Amino acid sequence: MKANKLTVGILLVVALLVVSATAVLARPELAQFTIQNKSDHTVYLTMYEATALRHSAQNIEYPAVSGGAFYYMAVAPKTTQTITVDRALYFYNINVCGGKTLSSPIDLVNGGKIVVPSACLTYYPTYEEKLTLDGVMEENTLVAFSVQNMTDAPLFVAMTGPQTLSFLLDAHGARSFTATEGAYSYSYQCKGATQYRAETGTYTLRFHDTLELGCD
């Protein structure tokens, strides 16, 4: 009989704890805030309620809050973490990619989420990781491309544009380069029956494209 009473008592305590936790989550003044860290670095975030009059993107006015809510999060690499916050407008400072710091207001009246991209530092125009934290990455302006010699003789090639490239191509040889994106002018010498002649043209660098050079 005592065992049964003890069991009932434990069940009541567990039920009360579940009800209490549910009640906390159901409190209308609270919202969920998530950081999804897709990078290989720990993310550190401090976030505090607005201490000056601010307006959200929807022009909702948030008066200054004295002694407002403050939150701190450290989110390990490849980890997602969610906390419960007061519904309010906040200002956050976030440290990502092992040292880059960003600051911005964030409206958490209806909750919110920050996704830290998997690529830190740089990305290329073909990079397609959408809906991630703005300002983390900086576009890489270097383009990888190749130049192919279509002739039976070596060619010395000069390319001028955002930067200057000068190089020798073996007969039917190819070389690969990484250079600043943009339009380039190129020139090289073709061997004729009695003398050399200049061949010129323009070329806009394209990813993994090959510029073929020949002598008609």
Side-chain angles (χ1 to χ4, degrees), residues 27-33 83-87 108-112:
R27 287 171 56 189
E29 71 272 20
L30 299 179
Q32 298 292 303
F33 172 61
I83 62 172
T84 302
V85 299
D86 292 339
R87 294 179 185 273
L108 296 183
V109 167
N110 295 311

Side-chain angles (χ1 to χ4, degrees), residues 3 37 46 64 66 69 77 97 114 122 132 140 168 177 181 190 196 210:
N37 181 12
T46 56
S66 178
C97 295
I114 290 178
T122 60
T132 52
N140 192 329
L168 179 68
F177 302 92
E181 64 182 353
C190 286
Y196 284 89
T210 299

Side-chain angles (χ1 to χ4, degrees), residues 36-208:
Q36 181 181 0
N37 181 12
K38 300 167 72 174
S39 75
D40 294 324
H41 303 266
T42 300
V43 168
Y44 300 95
L45 176 137
T46 56
M47 185 170 67
Y48 53 89
E49 216 168 333
T51 56
L53 178 66
R54 295 184 183 277
H55 294 81
S56 70
Q58 293 74 34
N59 204 34
I60 299 173
E61 185 174 287
Y62 293 90
V65 178
S66 178
F70 173 84
Y71 300 94
Y72 171 79
M73 297 174 70
V75 184
K78 309 295 185 183
T79 301
T80 298
Q81 184 174 327
T82 299
I83 62 172
T84 302
V85 299
D86 292 339
R87 294 179 185 273
L89 181 74
Y90 294 87
F91 194 84
Y92 69 76
N93 291 289
I94 190 168
N95 185 287
V96 294
C97 295
K100 187 164 189 175
T101 300
L102 303 169
S103 300
S104 178
I106 184 169
D107 189 344
L108 296 183
V109 167
N110 295 311
K113 183 177 183 179
I114 290 178
V115 180
V116 178
S118 55
C120 272
L121 305 185
T122 60
Y123 71 96
Y124 291 95
T126 53
Y127 187 75
E128 296 183 349
E129 191 171 350
K130 306 298 184 184
L131 304 177
T132 52
L133 183 64
D134 288 337
V136 174
M137 299 181 293
E138 297 170 359
E139 185 171 357
N140 192 329
T141 60
L142 298 180
V143 177
F145 71 103
S146 299
V147 183
Q148 172 78 49
N149 181 359
M150 308 298 293
T151 76
D152 295 327
L155 294 179
F156 182 79
V157 184
M159 299 182 68
T160 58
Q163 67 182 85
T164 299
L165 300 172
S166 299
F167 50 91
L168 179 68
L169 290 175
D170 294 332
H172 296 287
R175 293 183 62 178
S176 296
F177 302 92
T178 301
T180 304
E181 64 182 353
Y184 286 75
S185 297
Y186 62 82
S187 63
Y188 56 97
Q189 298 287 325
C190 286
K191 187 176 182 180
T194 59
Q195 61 183 4
Y196 284 89
R197 71 177 188 276
E199 292 284 347
T200 62
T202 59
Y203 174 68
T204 299
L205 302 193
R206 301 178 183 88
F207 273 94
H208 310 304

